[in-house]
Structures are given as structure tokens and as C-alpha cells.
């Protein structure tokens, strides 16, 4: 009897411990699931924060791009306005500055009509006199003759706005291995952005902080996404290119002249008229390394000539 009772008790204990072990494992699995849920939630929060940061960066980048584009458009508007003023001056239209505006007015403002009512005596006379008046036939006045358009300046180097500049910042173009991206001080309020294809010919260290000659009235053009606002002038052959050097003592903003060709540059060269293309064949260095136009030296008055380093009798462009 005791043996049977012991067997029964042992069997009951075994069932109890088996059930306890199952419950313990179930609790352990639930705890593991809860921990996994916490880690997943933390990961989701981290990803959401990262996405939010990326979105903010994209918005800021788009904002900066728009600001830059607006600045470029403003420069184009200013250049177009300057060109319009120059054309009107050539056509004999007087330019009158408009107060509070950046533009000009080409004709005087019409006179304001007189204010106030007519005198009482005049009103009374009008009321008394009811007799019809004879209509006067107005004589047609001959139309005033339009002034003859001013002749266009001759196509020569005087139409090119050549100035001394200093490269204050230079680096590789982010999207083109053969291009430099430069900031050039031309003696203006802000440096000009210039893109030059000189990587294969001039080492980067030779471009830094050097004086150059730049043509400043080319129409701004985008080169691989960056708007170039001028052109660095160089002596050039198919195998070698040298950046032209201004004379000693020259400073940013100095104007480059050419003897025999009065300096009267366009505000902005019209690409359709191909003025630079017409001048380019006659821009060359001579046997003394001096940059010339039709044999006349390019120079900064009182300071000296513009020169190349070694290239003689080659094109300048």
C-alpha cells in the first residue's frame, strides 16, 4: 500500500514539474518577444530620425540652389539692362536716372495737368455765352524727324572688356576632371566665378593667388552646372597653354588697353554678332612674348605689357 502511494505521489510531482518547466519556458519566450519588440521600436525611431534629417538637408540644399539661381538671374537682368542702356545711348536717346530705381528713363515725364477749378468769371462767361463757336481746323504738323541711329563701333579689340584679375580661390570642378573652378577678384564688389579648362596644362599650385587677364563682357554660360562669368586669357597651342601675365605693379581691376584701338567695350557681347570670334585670329603673342592685337601690344597704361612665359607667335584665347 505504501509503495503504491509513493508511486502515485511521484507521478503527480513529475507532472507538476513538467508543467512548471513548460510555463517557465513560455515566460522566457514572452520576455524574448518583448525585448525584440523594444529593439525593433528603437530601430524604427532611429530610422525615422535619420529620414527626417535627410529631408531637412534636401530642403536646405534646394533652398541654396534657388538662392544661387536667383542671384544668377539678377546678374543676367543687370547685364541686359546695361546692354539696353548702351544701345539706347547709341541711338541718341538721353538717359535720365529714375530716383529710387536701378534703371533709367529715356524720356521726360509728362507734365501734370493743372489742379484746381476754373476761375468763377470764366464759368460765368461760359454760362452766358451760348452761341456756337466755329470749329477750328487743326493743321497737321509734320512728324519730327527721328535722329539717325549712331553707327556701331568697329569690330576690334576695343569692344572686349579686358581687365586684370587675381585668382583668390581655385579648385577642381566637382563634375569635370579637366576644369578648374575659380573665384577671381576683378576689382568689383564681389569676385567672379570662372570655369577654365586648364587642368591638363597648368598645375593647381600655379593657379593659386596669381594675377591674370580676364575678359569680363562675355555672356555668362553654364559649364557642367556652374555659371562662368568671365574667361581667363592664355597663349595657346594644341600641346601647350600658358596663362597670360599682367605687368608688374598691376592690381585687380586695372583696364587693359591696345594702342590704336580706343577702349569702348560692350556691356555684354552679343553671341550672335561673334565679335570675339572676329578678333581672335588677330590676337597673338609676338617674338618678344608680348600679347598683341594686329601687332599692337596689349598693355596696362603706365605699368607695362601683357606677356606670355615662353610661347612666341601663337594665338591668344
Amino acid at each position: 500500500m505504501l509503495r503504491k502511494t509513493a508511486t502515485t505521489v511521484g507521478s503527480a510531482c513529475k507532472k507538476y514539474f513538467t508543467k512548471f518547466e513548460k510555463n517557465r519556458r513560455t515566460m522566457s519566450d514572452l520576455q524574448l518577444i518583448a525585448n525584440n519588440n523594444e529593439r525593433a521600436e528603437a530601430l524604427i525611431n532611429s530610422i525615422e530620425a535619420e529620414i527626417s534629417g535627410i529631408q531637412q538637408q534636401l530642403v536646405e540644399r534646394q533652398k541654396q540652389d534657388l538662392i544661387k539661381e536667383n542671384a544668377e538671374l539678377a546678374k543676367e537682368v543687370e547685364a541686359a539692362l546695361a546692354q539696353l542702356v548702351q544701345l539706347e545711348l547709341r541711338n541718341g536717346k538721353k538717359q535720365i536716372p529714375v530716383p529710387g530705381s536701378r534703371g533709367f528713363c529715356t524720356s521726360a515725364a509728362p507734365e501734370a495737368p493743372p489742379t484746381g477749378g476754373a476761375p468763377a468769371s470764366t464759368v460765368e462767361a461760359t454760362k452766358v455765352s451760348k452761341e456756337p463757336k466755329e470749329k477750328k481746323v487743326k493743321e497737321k504738323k509734320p512728324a519730327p524727324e527721328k535722329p539717325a541711329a549712331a553707327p556701331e563701333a568697329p569690330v576690334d579689340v576695343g569692344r572686349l572688356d579686358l581687365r586684370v584679375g587675381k585668382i583668390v580661390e581655385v579648385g577642381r570642378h566637382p563634375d569635370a576632371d579637366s576644369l578648374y573652378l575659380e573665384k577671381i577678384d576683378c576689382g568689383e564688389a564681389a569676385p567672379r566665378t570662372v570655369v577654365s579648362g586648364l587642368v591638363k596644362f597648368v598645375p593647381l599650385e600655379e593657379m593659386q593667388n596669381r594675377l591674370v587677364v580676364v575678359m569680363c563682357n562675355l555672356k555668362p554660360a553654364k559649364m557642367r552646372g556652374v555659371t562662368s562669368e568671365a574667361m581667363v586669357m592664355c597663349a595657346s597651342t594644341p600641346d601647350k597653354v600658358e596663362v597670360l601675365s599682367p605687368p608688374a605693379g598691376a592690381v585687380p581691376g586695372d583696364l587693359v588697353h591696345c594702342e590704336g584701338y580706343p577702349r569702348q567695350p560692350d556691356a555684354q557681347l552679343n553671341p550672335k554678332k561673334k565679335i570675339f570670334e572676329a578678333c581672335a585670329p588677330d590676337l597673338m603673342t609676338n617674338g618678344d612674348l608680348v600679347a598683341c592685337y594686329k601687332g599692337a601690344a596689349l598693355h596696362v597704361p603706365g605699368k607695362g605689357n601683357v606677356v606670355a612665359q615662353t610661347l612666341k607667335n601663337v594665338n591668344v584665347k
Side-chain angles (χ1 to χ4, degrees):
M1 185 67 182
L2 288 174
R3 184 178 297 174
K4 184 176 180 181
T5 301
T7 301
T8 302
V9 171
S11 177
C13 288
K14 185 177 181 180
K15 289 181 180 180
Y16 172 78
F17 283 112
T18 301
K19 187 174 181 180
F20 174 79
E21 182 64 22
K22 287 182 178 180
N23 290 339
R24 188 183 66 79
R25 288 179 180 176
T26 301
M27 291 297 293
S28 178
D29 290 341
L30 289 175
Q31 184 64 37
L32 180 61
I33 291 171
N35 292 338
N36 287 340
N37 286 341
E38 290 179 359
R39 285 195 295 270
E41 185 175 357
L43 180 60
I44 290 171
N45 291 337
S46 175
I47 292 173
E48 287 178 347
E50 187 173 353
I51 290 174
S52 177
I54 293 173
Q55 288 176 339
Q56 291 179 356
Q57 291 179 359
L58 289 174
V59 169
E60 184 62 26
R61 185 179 301 173
Q62 290 175 349
K63 180 179 176 182
Q64 294 300 324
D65 290 344
L66 288 173
I67 291 173
K68 187 176 180 180
E69 185 176 355
N70 286 340
E72 292 173 356
L73 289 174
K75 288 183 179 179
E76 291 180 5
V77 170
E78 292 289 347
L81 177 60
Q83 186 176 13
L84 175 62
V85 170
Q86 186 175 19
L87 290 173
E88 290 183 339
L89 285 172
R90 288 181 182 176
N91 291 329
K93 290 188 177 181
K94 185 178 179 181
Q95 302 295 309
I96 302 173
V98 179
S101 171
R102 295 180 298 176
F104 290 83
C105 177
T106 56
S107 61
E111 294 183 0
T115 58
S121 58
T122 305
V123 176
E124 292 297 328
T126 304
K127 290 181 179 179
V128 173
S129 177
K130 295 182 180 179
E131 295 179 2
K133 295 182 179 179
E134 294 181 1
K135 294 183 179 179
K136 293 183 179 179
V137 179
K138 294 183 179 179
E139 296 180 0
K140 291 185 178 179
K141 296 181 180 180
E145 295 183 2
K146 294 183 179 180
E152 185 175 357
V155 177
D156 57 38
V157 72
R159 301 278 292 274
L160 310 182
D161 188 3
L162 298 174
R163 308 182 202 171
V164 175
K166 181 179 180 180
I167 300 175
V168 295
E169 183 180 333
V170 61
R172 293 289 188 90
H173 192 295
D175 297 324
D177 294 336
S178 63
L179 300 178
Y180 283 132
L181 182 58
E182 306 134 13
K183 294 289 186 182
I184 301 182
D185 177 11
C186 298
E188 300 167 313
R192 291 182 179 235
T193 299
V194 180
V195 179
S196 303
L198 298 173
V199 171
K200 296 179 182 178
F201 304 101
V202 184
L204 181 64
E205 57 271 17
E206 291 185 14
M207 294 290 290
Q208 294 173 341
N209 297 316
R210 73 175 293 165
L211 290 175
V212 293
V213 175
V214 290
M215 185 161 66
C216 295
N217 59 343
L218 284 174
K219 183 178 181 180
K222 279 195 174 183
M223 300 179 69
R224 293 293 184 91
V226 178
T227 300
S228 182
E229 301 171 311
M231 180 171 69
V232 176
M233 304 302 291
C234 302
S236 177
T237 70
D239 302 319
K240 189 174 182 180
V241 175
E242 293 178 352
V243 178
L244 293 181
S245 298
V251 296
D254 278 351
L255 304 180
V256 177
H257 292 251
C258 184
E259 193 68 33
Y261 300 93
R263 194 178 193 281
Q264 44 186 357
D266 294 21
Q268 184 179 102
L269 295 178
N270 186 341
K272 294 181 179 180
K273 294 187 177 181
K274 298 187 180 298
I275 293 172
F276 174 71
E277 289 80 357
C279 297
D282 296 310
L283 284 168
M284 299 187 67
T285 59
N286 64 13
D288 296 322
L289 301 174
V290 178
C292 300
Y293 175 75
K294 293 185 177 181
L298 301 181
H299 66 281
V300 177
K303 296 182 180 179
N305 295 329
V306 175
V307 297
Q309 286 76 54
T310 64
L311 293 177
K312 301 179 180 180
N313 303 312
V314 302
N315 289 108
V316 170
K317 57 185 179 180

